[in-house]
């Protein structure tokens, strides 16, 4: 276990543990990712925290942060509690670090693992706690929302505007119509131009529109 004293190894362990832990929250994989993530985090904390009380305290901070992320994703969906939860989790993995460099690397590994976990959505089916926010249009037509229909296929490639933040789900507006959508693995602020990249059944996937650089002819 002495290998965990190396900052690079700590970075890798935290990155992979968070990658699998958040992957478990995002996609349906029968608990496999969750077990891997918890085992790797236990390995990390048990090496750096020598006393049981300190392990319990850091574990509690991490667990509360994770609970806030789940609460935000399942009920609130505004990003506030999710951000607080992420900060608590980063703090929990950074405090046991033996040096500033080590803490900086594991904090970076945590953030990179969190961002990379959204890539699992491209491979595995999303959990219902996310799909019910992003895939089911439950708003009435008299509010300007459209129900899912075959015409959604025609939306691919069109530019829309986000009217809510995407964490990673939200609402876009195209002309006079509003649609529920999900971002392709990234968080997007409100009032941002986005492009509809695909429509899969009842799921509209968007990406932030990249500004084309202006080049003058030589």
């Amino acid at each position: 276990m002495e290998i965990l004293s190396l900052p690079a190894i700590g970075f890798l362990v935290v990155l992979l543990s968070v990658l699998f832990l958040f992957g478990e929250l995002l996609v349906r994989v029968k608990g496999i990712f969750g077990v891997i993530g918890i085992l790797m985090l236990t390995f990390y904390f048990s090496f750096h925290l020598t006393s049981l009380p300190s392990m319990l305290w850091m574990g509690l901070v991490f667990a509360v942060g994770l609970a806030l992320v789940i609460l935000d994703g399942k009920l609130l969906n505004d990003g506030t509690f999710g951000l607080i939860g992420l900060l608590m989790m980063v703090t929990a993995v950074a405090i046991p670090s033996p040096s500033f460099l080590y803490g900086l690397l594991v904090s970076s590994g945590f953030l990179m693992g969190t961002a990379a976990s959204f890539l699992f959505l491209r491979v595995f089916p999303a959990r219902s706690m996310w799909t019910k926010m992003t895939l089911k249009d439950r708003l009435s037509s008299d509010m300007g929302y459209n129900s899912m229909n075959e015409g959604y296929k025609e939306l691919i490639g069109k530019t829309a505007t986000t009217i809510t933040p995407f964490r990673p789900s939200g609402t876009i507006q195209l002309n006079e119509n509003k649609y529920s959508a999900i971002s392709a693995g990234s968080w997007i602020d409100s009032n941002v131009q986005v492009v509809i990249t695909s429509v899969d059944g009842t799921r509209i996937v968007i990406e932030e529109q990249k500004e084309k650089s202006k080049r003058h002819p030589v």
Side-chain angles (χ1 to χ4, degrees):
M1 291 181 64
E2 290 299 323
I3 193 173
L4 256 180
S5 61
L6 299 175
I9 300 301
F11 165 82
L12 184 61
V13 169
V14 170
L15 186 151
L16 292 177
S17 61
V18 173
L19 171 69
F20 286 114
L21 192 60
F22 276 94
E24 178 68 34
L25 298 180
L26 292 172
V27 298
R28 298 195 296 269
V29 286
K30 298 182 179 180
I32 297 174
F33 285 178
V35 171
I36 296 174
I38 291 173
L39 288 177
M40 296 187 73
L41 280 174
T42 302
F43 178 58
Y44 173 83
F45 283 124
S46 63
F47 176 79
H48 290 290
L49 299 172
T50 55
S51 66
L52 181 60
S54 60
M55 287 186 62
L56 292 177
W57 274 111
M58 288 300 99
L60 179 62
V61 171
F62 192 93
V64 171
L66 182 60
L68 288 176
V69 172
I70 296 174
L71 175 66
D72 194 297
K74 192 170 184 178
L75 299 177
L76 305 178
N77 194 32
D78 67 355
T80 303
F81 281 92
L83 180 59
I84 295 174
L86 287 176
L87 290 175
M88 292 181 65
M89 295 168 74
V90 171
T91 301
V93 298
I95 285 180
S97 303
S99 66
F100 176 78
L101 175 61
Y102 201 114
L104 183 62
L105 283 176
V106 296
S107 298
S108 301
F110 183 97
L111 297 177
M112 292 175 63
T114 301
S117 65
F118 286 95
L119 297 176
F120 286 129
L121 290 170
R122 296 177 178 268
V123 182
F124 301 99
R127 283 193 176 277
S128 58
M129 65 178 285
W130 307 108
T131 55
K132 70 182 180 182
M133 293 187 301
T134 60
L135 307 185
K136 297 180 182 179
D137 198 341
R138 297 173 294 173
L139 300 176
S140 60
S141 58
D142 58 355
M143 295 177 62
Y145 288 79
N146 284 1
S147 59
M148 292 294 177
N149 53 59
E150 291 299 324
Y152 273 37
K153 291 292 184 181
E154 300 176 359
L155 300 177
I156 298 176
K158 293 187 176 180
T159 301
T161 303
T162 59
I163 58 177
T164 64
F166 277 70
R167 301 291 190 270
S169 65
T171 304
I172 59 173
Q173 181 162 357
L174 178 59
N175 298 325
E176 299 299 322
N177 300 319
K178 299 175 184 177
Y179 305 90
S180 297
I182 182 172
S183 61
S186 62
W187 286 10
I188 303 175
D189 294 328
S190 59
N191 198 29
V192 172
Q193 294 294 308
V194 294
V195 176
I196 299 174
T197 58
S198 64
V199 176
D200 181 11
T202 56
R203 180 174 67 175
I204 297 176
V205 182
I206 63 167
E207 287 184 358
E208 186 171 353
Q209 187 178 42
K210 306 298 182 181
E211 293 185 1
K212 297 181 178 180
S213 58
K214 298 180 180 179
R215 298 183 178 179
H216 299 282
V218 179

